[in-house]
Amino acid sequence: MNRITKIRTLEPIMFYSGKQDELQIFLNETEYGELIIKSLSNDQIQVKAVLLDETGEKLNWKQDYKGLRVSVPETLVTSKKATGRVVKVTF
């Protein structure tokens, strides 16, 4: 069976968490697969970790001059009331 990887470039809602070295990114429930966030390229900021805020689960990511590429599994569990998820980016 061939799996097609979903790759999308996003301009998500990002907000400062109040911590000196952390941003939070809001993703709706349909945003999964390989997500590229152009505004977080390595010439702008050096990312150290990317994780799901609700559970602390580490997400696979890669950063280069094109942006931050985050792998968000389609099967990622969210609470039944959730209309989205928050990804925490530390730098």
Side-chain angles (χ1 to χ4, degrees), residues 7-85:
I7 300 175
R8 291 196 288 172
T9 301
L10 301 178
E11 293 183 21
I13 297 171
M14 291 190 288
F15 50 95
Y16 179 60
S17 71
K19 295 182 180 178
Q20 184 176 0
D21 61 350
E22 184 180 287
L23 290 174
Q24 293 184 344
I25 301 170
F26 178 79
L27 302 175
N28 70 46
E29 70 277 0
T30 62
E31 293 173 324
Y32 57 85
E34 290 288 320
L35 308 178
I36 301 170
I37 304 165
K38 287 181 171 182
S39 59
L40 293 179
S41 64
N42 62 3
D43 64 339
Q44 299 294 320
I45 194 169
Q46 296 297 315
V47 171
K48 292 181 181 174
V50 179
L51 42 113
L52 186 63
D53 188 48
E54 189 174 320
T55 63
E57 177 182 348
K58 292 182 181 181
L59 299 176
N60 291 327
W61 61 277
K62 179 181 177 186
Q63 186 183 32
D64 60 23
Y65 69 95
K66 293 180 182 177
L68 178 65
R69 185 181 287 246
V70 180
S71 295
V72 179
E74 182 177 359
T75 58
L76 195 63
V77 177
T78 58
S79 66
K80 291 180 182 180
K81 295 180 183 177
T83 58
R85 52 184 70 105

